[in-house]
């Protein structure tokens, strides 16, 4: 039971024209005294006054101005002491309360809720936390209800000032009054993420989903917040689930929704989901943002949909260099050399400086079009003019062209140049040089490159030995072939290649010896090897 004593007092001050009314509230062991100072101008000024405790005497009556501790346990929740708070049922634990602030309770002469809501909104936007808190508490004590917009602005003010404990307490109060919107839940989840992390906030959201009372307030803004929280921890599965739930609820996403979805899906390597989100956005007649279009170009190129990537590129006002490089790389793989160089011209006109990815896309496009000489010519230009820092990809593209053309001298030169520049030379780079020597019938050079490779402690693979075996066979280096086969672990592909080559060179004696040795090891020859051996054995 709450006892209320009203002691009306009127004091007139000629200079300031102040009227004072005194009311005392007694509740359990707490005695709250409320003193209202009202200026004839505005409540905003009254809230910003730094009132000091003082004694006012009029006749035989003595009156104190008062302040109360804004403790969360006394925040208007006594009327439901036996009810369990919503937050208590969640896995998220409330953060440690911040240092309690002294909050004055004012008797409000103004009783218009709309007017008071506007004042609360203004104070919250100006980030006047103390004044906003006093006004909110005073309205609550006076059984006045701010509108949802003002409440959300007050929650935002609390969130900006790091008063996370009060955010939870205010939300609990608003929820009990059913004065919440989707934005209110969004602010609650942001506070939960700040206090306990994004995973805890997502668990809270899943708990909210289970209650139809709460879910009835869900809107697109809340779903955008949840998707953003999923993106912070790269939780692509929860992102997809929330997206599907939003669609099943009949809500249509905004450009923010689809930008978040596309960027998260592309970042997590789910390009197919990014394409689905983009198609849904276009069907809903929503214009994609620049960040979504940049991400979509990356997704489309990964799915080999270069036509879609080109269409998006043409609709962009100023694509960045990453988007240009991704599109050029996709067009180059499709053999669209002309379009690649058109995109390159656009990138130059936009003021972008080509980097190593740009030049690699151009070299790859020329290589895919079988223009190997143009690849080497462009590579020499990039190297001589120092247009970018040369990396292993650029060198390997040039080495592949050397291998196709059989330019073993240039391949060897580029190999030593790579080693001298400090770049790490991979096994595939050595394989390309050895293959170039094989194509030009330079068997001894191929062996020297292999020996150099071993000296640099670069491990050879099956492709290395296959190229060496074929090269030695064409150079009639039979002993070297046998040595190579003895050095490596028994490999059926090496024996098949050696027997094929020897049969083609009409060295049937060596071919038969290798065939017998192969079968004794338990290796199974392929059909071509059997056919060649049967054919040559019948002749003999």
């Amino acid at each position: 039971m709450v006892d209320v004593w009203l002691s009306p007092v009127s004091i007139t001050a000629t200079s300031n024209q102040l009227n004072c009314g005194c009311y005392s509230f007694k509740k359990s062991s707490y005695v709250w005294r409320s003193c209202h100072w009202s200026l004839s101008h505005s409540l905003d000024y009254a809230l910003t006054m730094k009132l000091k405790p003082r004694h006012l005497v009029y006749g035989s009556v003595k009156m104190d101005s008062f302040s109360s501790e804004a403790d969360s346990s006394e925040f208007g929740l006594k009327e439901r002491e036996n009810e369990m708070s919503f937050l208590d049922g969640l896995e998220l634990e409330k953060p440690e309360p911040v240092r309690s602030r002294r909050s004055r309770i004012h008797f409000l002469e103004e009783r218009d809720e709309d007017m008071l809501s506007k004042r609360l909104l203004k104070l919250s936007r100006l980030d006047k936390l103390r004044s906003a808190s006093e006004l909110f508490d005073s309205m609550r004590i006076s059984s006045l209800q701010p509108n949802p917009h003002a409440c959300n602005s007050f929650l935002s003010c609390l969130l900006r000032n790091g008063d996370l404990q009060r955010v939870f307490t205010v939300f609990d109060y608003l929820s009990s009054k059913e004065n919440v919107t989707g934005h209110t839940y969004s602010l609650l989840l942001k506070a939960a993420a700040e206090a306990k992390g994004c995973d805890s906030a997502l668990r809270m959201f899943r708990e909210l989903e289970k209650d139809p009372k709460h879910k009835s307030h869900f809107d697109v803004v809340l779903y955008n917040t949840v998707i953003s929280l999923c993106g912070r921890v790269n939780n692509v599965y929860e992102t997809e689930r929330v997206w599907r739930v939003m669609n099943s609820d009949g809500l249509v996403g905004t450009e923010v929704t689809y930008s978040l979805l596309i960027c998260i899906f592309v970042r997590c390597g789910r390009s197919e989901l990014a394409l689905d989100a983009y198609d849904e956005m276009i069907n809903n007649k929503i214009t994609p943002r620049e960040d979504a279009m940049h991400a979509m170009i990356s997704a489309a190129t990964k799915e080999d949909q270069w036509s879609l990537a080109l269409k998006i590129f043409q609709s962009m006002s100023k694509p960045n260099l990453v988007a240009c490089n991704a599109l050029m790389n996709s067009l180059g793989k499709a053999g669209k050399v002309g379009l690649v160089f058109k995109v390159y011209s656009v990138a130059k006109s936009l003021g972008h400086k080509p980097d190593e990815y740009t030049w690699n896309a151009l070299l790859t496009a020329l290589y895919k079009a079988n223009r190997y000489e143009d690849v080497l010519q462009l590579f020499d230009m990039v190297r001589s003019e120092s247009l970018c820092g040369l990396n292993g990809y650029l060198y390997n593209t040039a080495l592949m062209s050397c291998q196709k053309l059989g330019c073993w001298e240039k391949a060897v030169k580029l190999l030593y140049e790579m080693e001298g520049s400090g770049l790490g030379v991979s096994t595939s780079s050595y394989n390309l040089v050895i293959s170039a020597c094989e194509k030009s019938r330079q068997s001894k050079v191929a062996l020297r490159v292999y020996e150099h490779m071993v000296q640099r402690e670069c491990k050879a693979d099956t492709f290395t030995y296959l190229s060496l075996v074929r090269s030695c066979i064409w150079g009639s280096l039979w002993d070297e072939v046998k040595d190579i086969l003895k050095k490596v672990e028994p490999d059926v592909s090496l024996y098949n290649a050696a027997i094929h080559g020897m049969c083609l060179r009409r060295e049937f004696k060596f071919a038969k010896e290798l065939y017998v040795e192969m079968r004794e090891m338990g290796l199974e020859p392929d059909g071509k090897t059997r056919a060649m051996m049967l054919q040559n054995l019948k002749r003999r």
Side-chain angles (χ1 to χ4, degrees):
M1 178 67 66
V2 179
D3 298 325
V4 180
W5 295 291
L6 303 180
S7 302
V9 176
S10 176
I11 297 178
T12 302
T14 306
S15 58
N16 295 326
Q17 296 297 322
L18 294 177
N19 295 322
C20 176
C22 176
Y23 297 83
S24 298
F25 299 87
K26 180 178 181 183
K27 184 176 182 182
S28 299
S29 61
Y30 297 92
V31 178
W32 293 0
R33 296 183 178 87
S34 176
C35 177
H36 168 59
W37 300 86
S38 64
L39 285 172
S40 59
H41 301 293
S42 69
L43 178 63
D44 293 342
Y45 178 76
L47 291 176
T48 56
M49 290 177 62
K50 297 183 178 179
L51 301 177
K52 298 180 180 180
R54 66 190 65 186
H55 297 286
L56 302 178
V57 179
Y58 181 75
S60 61
V61 179
K62 179 177 172 181
M63 182 186 70
D64 296 333
S65 66
F66 95 100
S67 62
S68 67
E69 296 292 333
D71 188 25
S72 61
S73 62
E74 297 296 324
F75 191 79
L77 300 179
K78 290 293 184 179
E79 65 274 11
R80 54 193 195 105
E81 288 176 343
N82 298 326
E83 298 181 11
M84 179 177 291
S85 171
F86 165 73
L87 293 174
D88 295 337
L90 298 178
E91 295 182 20
L92 176 70
E93 298 178 0
K94 294 184 181 180
E96 292 296 326
V98 296
R99 183 178 60 85
S100 59
R101 300 179 177 88
R102 299 180 64 83
S103 177
R104 298 178 185 275
I105 303 299
H106 303 271
F107 177 79
L108 300 174
E109 188 177 78
E110 176 66 66
R111 309 297 292 180
D112 188 345
E113 292 182 345
D114 290 337
M115 182 64 69
L116 294 174
S117 296
K118 291 180 180 178
R119 293 175 180 174
L120 178 61
L121 179 65
K122 182 178 180 180
L123 290 172
S124 300
R125 286 178 173 176
L126 294 174
D127 219 17
K128 297 182 178 295
L129 178 59
R130 181 174 178 177
S131 299
S133 298
E134 290 178 358
L135 177 55
F136 182 84
D137 292 343
S138 301
M139 291 184 69
R140 175 181 53 78
I141 292 297
S142 303
S143 300
L144 298 174
Q145 194 70 25
N147 61 37
H149 186 32
C151 293
N152 292 339
S153 182
F154 178 54
L155 285 173
S156 298
C157 182
L158 292 172
L159 193 60
R160 286 193 301 271
N161 287 273
D163 198 345
L164 303 180
Q165 171 66 23
R166 192 117 195 264
V167 171
F168 294 115
T169 311
V170 171
F171 172 82
D172 211 15
Y173 170 73
L174 296 177
S175 179
S176 68
K177 300 297 183 181
E178 296 185 358
N179 189 18
V180 292
T181 64
H183 189 202
T184 312
Y185 288 97
S186 178
L187 294 170
L188 173 70
L189 293 180
K190 289 179 180 179
E194 290 291 331
K196 298 294 289 184
C198 295
D199 290 330
S200 294
L202 294 175
R203 286 195 296 269
M204 175 184 282
F205 174 74
R206 288 193 290 269
E207 291 294 329
L208 289 167
E209 277 185 303
K210 297 176 183 178
D211 191 344
K213 176 183 175 182
H214 293 294
K215 194 171 183 180
S216 62
H217 298 287
F218 287 9
D219 58 8
V220 177
V221 175
L222 174 60
Y223 281 109
N224 288 348
T225 301
V226 177
I227 292 172
S228 178
L229 294 175
C230 295
R232 290 187 188 180
V233 292
N234 291 329
N235 191 340
V236 66
Y237 301 105
E238 185 68 10
T239 302
E240 182 183 4
R241 189 193 71 81
V242 173
W243 176 34
R244 305 301 183 192
V245 170
M246 185 186 71
N247 288 337
S248 65
D249 290 343
L251 297 174
V252 179
T254 63
E255 62 177 14
V256 176
T257 309
Y258 291 109
S259 294
L260 288 170
L261 289 172
I262 292 171
C263 293
I264 292 171
F265 290 147
V266 172
R267 187 168 65 248
C268 296
R270 299 295 300 275
S271 300
E272 71 282 359
L273 292 177
L275 293 174
D276 292 342
Y278 180 79
D279 291 338
E280 182 179 301
M281 178 176 58
I282 298 301
N283 293 333
N284 291 333
K285 298 181 180 180
I286 297 176
T287 303
R289 301 194 312 184
E290 287 289 316
D291 56 346
M293 289 193 285
H294 281 114
M296 273 306 303
I297 289 179
S298 176
T301 54
K302 289 180 180 178
E303 295 295 321
D304 293 330
Q305 297 190 19
W306 60 267
S307 57
L308 174 61
L310 183 61
K311 182 179 178 181
I312 296 173
F313 180 84
Q314 292 172 343
S315 64
M316 297 176 69
S317 59
K318 187 177 180 181
N320 58 25
L321 184 59
V322 176
C324 296
N325 290 344
L327 180 58
M328 285 191 290
N329 190 47
S330 178
L331 293 172
K333 291 179 179 178
K336 307 294 182 180
V337 182
L339 291 176
V340 170
F341 280 89
K342 284 184 179 180
V343 174
Y344 170 74
S345 300
V346 172
K348 291 280 289 182
S349 65
L350 293 174
H352 297 315
K353 183 180 179 180
D355 57 10
E356 55 268 23
Y357 297 102
T358 310
W359 296 113
N360 186 59
L362 295 173
L363 292 173
T364 301
L366 293 173
Y367 179 82
K368 290 291 184 179
N370 300 327
R371 295 168 56 176
Y372 308 122
E373 293 180 354
D374 292 336
V375 171
L376 295 178
Q377 184 177 358
L378 179 59
F379 178 82
D380 289 339
M381 183 191 74
V382 173
R383 180 181 55 178
S384 61
E385 297 181 11
S386 300
L387 298 178
C388 71
L390 299 178
N391 56 28
Y393 294 103
L394 297 176
Y395 273 106
N396 283 343
T397 305
L399 288 175
M400 287 190 296
S401 298
C402 293
Q403 186 262 340
K404 291 292 185 180
L405 296 172
C407 299
W408 65 272
E409 292 179 334
K410 188 172 185 62
V412 171
K413 181 180 178 181
L414 290 176
L415 178 66
Y416 285 109
E417 186 178 311
M418 285 181 68
E419 294 176 348
S421 63
L423 292 173
V425 184
S426 63
T427 301
S428 60
S429 299
Y430 285 105
N431 291 347
L432 289 170
V433 178
I434 294 173
S435 182
C437 296
E438 173 197 347
K439 188 164 186 177
S440 58
R441 302 292 191 269
Q442 296 293 327
S443 306
K444 294 183 178 180
V445 177
L447 287 173
R448 286 199 293 270
V449 173
Y450 169 71
E451 292 172 357
H452 178 72
M453 174 183 179
V454 173
Q455 290 176 359
R456 293 185 65 87
E457 298 180 352
C458 185
K459 187 177 180 180
D461 57 13
T462 302
F463 297 102
T464 310
Y465 294 119
L466 281 173
S467 186
L468 280 175
V469 167
R470 291 192 296 261
S471 181
C472 291
I473 288 174
W474 287 112
S476 302
L477 303 177
W478 315 116
D479 294 336
E480 283 76 2
V481 172
K482 293 180 179 180
D483 291 339
I484 292 172
L485 293 175
K486 289 179 181 179
K487 288 180 181 179
V488 300
E489 293 291 331
D491 191 331
V492 65
S493 59
L494 294 180
Y495 277 92
N496 285 332
I499 293 172
H500 296 168
M502 290 179 177
C503 289
L504 291 175
R505 295 297 306 276
R506 306 189 66 82
E507 294 292 335
F508 302 115
K509 179 180 178 181
F510 287 117
K512 183 178 179 181
E513 291 177 0
L514 291 179
Y515 185 79
V516 173
E517 183 179 341
M518 176 184 184
R519 297 308 299 268
E520 289 176 351
M521 291 181 180
L523 300 177
E524 189 68 23
D526 59 14
K528 185 177 180 181
T529 302
R530 291 197 193 95
M532 295 183 75
M533 290 304 300
L534 288 173
Q535 181 181 5
N536 291 311
L537 288 175
K538 287 180 180 179
R539 290 180 180 177
R540 294 183 63 83

